[in-house]
Amino acid sequence: GRFAVDAPNTLFADGFDLVDAGVQYVAARSALGSYRLYATVFNLLDRRYASNQFLIGGQALVAPGAPRSLQVGAQFNF
């Protein structure tokens, strides 16, 4: 939903929805111990949005949100 941008809560910015998607493979036991492999796509639809908006000295400032990104990784437990 909407959120307040200024201290007296008189100026509001629209909310936003993002879609993230991920997959993972978890090996319970192996010769190396347990491990997890994963991949996640953040902001799957590459939506343009403002992650933060605020006022400083009457000037409206906007922080753009992150574009679509991919995170891959591996986690090993010995």
Side-chain angles (χ1 to χ4, degrees):
R2 297 178 350 139
F3 58 95
V5 174
D6 60 347
N9 296 332
T10 58
L11 181 60
F12 289 86
D14 291 332
F16 55 88
D17 293 319
L18 298 177
V19 176
D20 299 334
V23 295
Q24 69 175 348
Y25 172 75
V26 178
R29 281 286 179 211
S30 72
L32 299 172
S34 61
Y35 63 92
R36 176 174 78 103
L37 306 173
Y38 61 91
T40 305
V41 178
F42 297 99
N43 194 4
L44 181 66
L45 304 176
D46 203 21
R47 180 167 179 182
R48 295 179 67 153
Y49 66 99
S51 63
N52 197 355
Q53 297 182 33
F54 47 93
L55 287 175
I56 294 181
Q59 175 88 22
L61 302 172
V62 177
R68 179 176 28 217
S69 60
L70 172 66
Q71 180 182 60
V72 296
Q75 177 182 354
F76 296 93
N77 298 314
F78 302 98

